[in-house]
Structures are given as structure tokens and as C-alpha cells.
């Protein structure tokens, strides 16, 4: 690696990244959104204990697998940040690739779960339940798809951001953005830690 290339990589990593404050603001806003959804869900869940019957149709096994996947991907993005601090471009890209692979596995697992649930008639509006007069049970699935769908969208966005940063790093630019990607990914992981027990375990 050339001397100029090393200097270009080391400059951002040795000072406070300019985007850190912006990322904290973004994370704060996202947590407010998900916090509001979770608070509303809990109010309805306490009011309608029969929602436990609907939650029984979610796959605890897939939910648990995705929890492990996200926790492992949080570990790999931490390793990527450590490698970036050492200016080790190869290992930074390797660990970021592992994180992206974890995100992809999460989305594939979630798609399989969605397919199974939709096949059973549990959709965003669940017409079969509404026709049977079970409007309250139908509401559970509306919350389920809103919260997990919004979370899945954040996983996808995080993957796109990391892939973009990886291309930039290959060109010798923006190594400091690995930290920002890690902050975002930890937020995605934290949100799932709350969603998993609420939607999959509390049955």
C-alpha cells in the first residue's frame, strides 16, 4: 500500500468522525419510532390476552435463529471496526462481508417465515379472521407485519450502506465510516432484541 494511500486512510480514523453526531440523531429518531410501536403493542397485548393464541403461530425457532444471526453479525462489525483502526483494509472488508452475509441470512429466514404465515392466512389484514369477526386477532398481525417489516427494511438499508462503504474502502476512501455503519447495525440488533421476546416468546 502506498504512503499516500496510508495517509488518506489514517487521517479520518485518528480524529472524531464528523458523521457520529448525525448518526446518534438518526438512531435516536429510529428508537423513538420503534419505541412508540412497541408501547402501543404492549397496551393492546395487555388488553387482549387472546393475542397469545396468535403469537403461537409465529416460529420461535426461526426467531431464535435470527437472534443468533444478528448477534453474530454485531460481533463481526465490531471486528471490522477494530481492523479499520489498524488500517487493515483486507480484514475490514472480510469482517464487513460477514456482517452483510448475516443480514442476508436474516432476511432469507424472515422471508421463509412470512411465506409460511401468509400461507396459513395470517397477513397484514388477515381477511379470514376479519370475516370470522376476529378483528382483534387481525390487529395482532397488523402490528406484527409493521414492526418486523420495518425492522427488516432497516436490515436491508444497513446492508446496502455497508456494501457502499466497502466499495469506497476498496478505493482507499472513507475507512472511518465503518464505525458509523457499526453504530447503525447495533441499533438494528437492539431493536430485534426487544421484538423477539414480544412477538415470539410471550405466548
Amino acid at each position: 500500500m502506498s504512503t499516500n494511500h496510508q495517509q488518506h486512510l489514517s487521517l479520518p480514523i485518528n480524529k472524531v468522525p464528523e458523521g457520529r453526531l448525525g448518526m446518534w440523531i438518526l438512531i435516536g429518531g429510529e428508537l423513538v419510532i420503534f419505541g412508540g410501536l412497541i408501547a402501543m403493542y404492549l397496551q393492546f397485548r395487555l388488553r387482549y390476552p387472546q393475542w397469545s393464541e396468535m403469537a403461537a403461530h409465529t416460529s420461535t425457532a426461526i426467531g431464535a435463529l435470527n437472534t443468533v444471526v444478528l448477534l453474530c453479525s454485531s460481533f463481526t462489525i465490531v471486528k471490522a471496526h477494530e481492523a479499520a483502526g489498524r488500517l487493515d483494509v483486507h480484514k475490514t472488508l472480510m469482517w464487513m462481508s460477514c456482517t452483510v452475509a448475516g443480514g442476508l441470512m436474516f432476511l432469507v429466514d424472515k422471508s421463509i417465515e412470512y411465506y409460511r404465515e401468509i400461507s396459513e392466512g395470517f397477513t397484514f389484514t388477515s381477511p379470514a379472521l376479519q370475516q370470522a369477526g376476529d378483528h382483534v386477532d387481525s390487529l395482532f398481525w397488523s402490528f406484527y407485519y409493521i414492526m418486523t417489516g420495518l425492522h427488516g427494511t432497516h436490515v436491508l438499508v444497513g446492508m446496502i450502506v455497508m456494501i457502499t462503504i466497502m466499495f469506497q474502502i476498496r478505493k482507499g476512501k472513507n475507512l472511518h465510516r465503518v464505525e458509523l455503519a457499526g453504530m447503525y447495525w447495533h441499533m438494528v440488533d437492539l431493536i430485534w432484541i426487544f421484538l423477539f421476546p414480544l412477538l415470539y416468546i410471550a405466548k
Side-chain angles (χ1 to χ4, degrees):
M1 185 182 296
S2 67
T3 303
N4 291 335
H5 188 62
Q6 286 182 326
Q7 289 176 346
H8 188 66
L9 288 176
S10 63
L11 179 59
I13 209 71
N14 291 331
K15 64 179 182 180
V16 177
E18 296 177 357
R20 184 182 293 174
L21 177 59
M23 181 56 66
W24 277 119
I25 294 173
L26 174 63
I27 291 174
E30 297 293 340
L31 292 179
V32 168
I33 293 172
F34 277 98
L37 286 171
I38 291 173
M40 285 191 293
Y41 173 84
L42 286 172
Q43 288 181 345
F44 280 101
R45 184 64 187 266
L46 293 174
R47 184 175 181 181
Y48 302 114
Q50 63 266 37
W51 273 16
S52 60
E53 299 176 8
M54 293 295 99
H57 293 281
T58 61
S59 175
T60 304
I62 294 179
L65 174 61
N66 271 343
T67 301
V68 173
V69 168
L70 281 185
L71 289 174
C72 290
S73 67
S74 281
F75 171 76
T76 56
I77 195 62
V78 167
K79 299 297 290 184
H81 183 231
E82 290 179 355
R86 298 191 302 270
L87 306 181
D88 190 334
V89 172
H90 174 71
K91 287 191 176 179
T92 299
L93 293 174
M94 180 191 72
W95 288 116
M96 290 188 75
S97 297
C98 291
T99 305
V100 172
L104 179 60
M105 183 176 180
F106 178 94
L107 293 179
V108 169
D109 291 342
K110 197 65 200 157
S111 298
I112 293 172
E113 186 182 10
Y114 277 161
Y115 176 79
R116 184 180 67 84
E117 290 159 350
I118 292 173
S119 298
E120 294 178 0
F122 302 120
T123 64
F124 183 78
T125 56
S126 298
L129 290 175
Q130 292 198 27
Q131 290 175 4
D134 294 332
H135 299 289
V136 172
D137 290 344
S138 175
L139 186 59
F140 168 85
W141 292 104
S142 296
F143 269 103
Y144 171 82
Y145 282 107
I146 288 174
M147 292 193 291
T148 59
L150 186 59
H151 177 266
T153 301
H154 281 72
V155 171
L156 179 60
V157 170
M159 292 169 59
I160 294 173
V161 168
M162 278 188 276
I163 291 172
T164 302
I165 293 174
M166 288 169 66
F167 277 111
Q168 293 173 348
I169 292 174
R170 287 182 183 275
K171 296 178 180 179
K173 299 186 295 184
N174 298 326
L175 191 60
H176 67 286
R177 290 184 178 175
V178 176
E179 178 188 10
L180 305 181
M183 292 170 64
Y184 180 91
W185 199 253
H186 291 319
M187 176 201 70
V188 171
D189 192 5
L190 177 64
I191 292 170
W192 182 255
I193 293 300
F194 282 93
L195 295 182
F196 173 60
L198 289 175
L199 298 173
Y200 293 86
I201 297 179
K203 301 183 177 182

